[in-house]
Amino acid sequence: MKGKSTPPKADKKPVKGGPEPSVAAPAAVEARPRVRRTRRDVELEGLKQLTMVWLWVADLRSGVTYYRDQVGLKLAFLDEPGGWALFNTGAEGVDLGLKVWPFGGAVPRGGGGCPVFEVVNLAEARAALEARGIEFEDDPVEGGRERRHATFHDPDGNPIMLTQNW
């Protein structure tokens, strides 16, 4: 067809499972070594994987509608009286959780995430982190789905949670 341009072909093969590149990457990017991460890179013994990310929402129904209908995630669990919901993310073993903001009103911009790391033994992981100077906000609490949780905060006040299935 006249007037239609075709993008230049890439000189690299597509990454398995990734999109086919439409143009060649700059030489500086291609020359950078790739870093492959493994579980051995984790320095906290017993840390298994990221298992969940919690987000605060001002209104649970609006949040559920947004993530289900607009983002397209599958609702896995809804507890309206308890003020929380879980979605399947498509990443095996990693859920997205919504929790109603406990202070009323709007959720502060950028202040709503909490990564949740699954550990083999919550007591041992907590003790190892406390030995490094990390303070937890309270004793482990029992959560839904047969889990126990313990939460600490990074220097900027962002919560980080450890969880153990039992």
Side-chain angles (χ1 to χ4, degrees):
M1 197 170 180
K2 213 173 195 184
K4 189 174 183 180
S5 65
T6 307
K9 296 253 183 203
D11 59 14
K12 293 180 78 175
K13 292 184 180 180
V15 177
K16 185 177 180 182
E20 185 171 285
S22 59
V23 294
V29 173
E30 289 179 21
R32 283 195 321 213
R34 290 187 173 231
V35 177
R36 180 170 245 173
R37 301 281 181 209
T38 66
R39 289 183 188 213
R40 291 183 300 259
D41 293 333
V42 178
E43 293 186 16
L44 176 61
E45 196 61 38
L47 184 66
K48 292 170 67 177
Q49 71 175 33
L50 176 70
T51 186
M52 180 179 295
V53 174
W54 281 105
L55 298 176
W56 292 112
V57 294
D59 179 72
L60 186 61
R61 286 185 182 187
S62 295
V64 166
T65 299
Y66 176 79
Y67 282 96
R68 183 190 60 216
D69 300 345
Q70 291 183 270
V71 177
L73 298 179
K74 183 179 178 187
L75 181 64
F77 183 82
L78 177 62
D79 179 1
E80 286 192 66
W84 63 285
L86 286 179
F87 289 89
N88 293 330
T89 63
E92 188 171 333
V94 181
D95 296 324
L96 173 69
L98 302 182
K99 180 77 176 139
V100 174
W101 179 246
F103 306 109
V107 177
R109 191 99 170 122
C114 177
V116 180
F117 291 93
E118 184 175 350
V119 294
V120 174
N121 183 303
L122 184 60
E124 289 176 7
R126 180 180 174 140
L129 291 171
E130 287 174 330
R132 297 178 189 174
I134 291 177
E135 296 179 19
F136 283 77
E137 61 180 41
D138 52 23
D139 290 333
V141 293
E142 293 183 23
R145 295 174 42 162
E146 301 174 349
R147 292 179 181 263
R148 295 183 71 209
H149 309 284
T151 304
F152 62 96
H153 296 268
D154 72 11
D156 293 311
N158 296 305
I160 300 168
M161 186 181 291
L162 301 180
T163 187
Q164 175 190 353
N165 282 331
W166 52 318

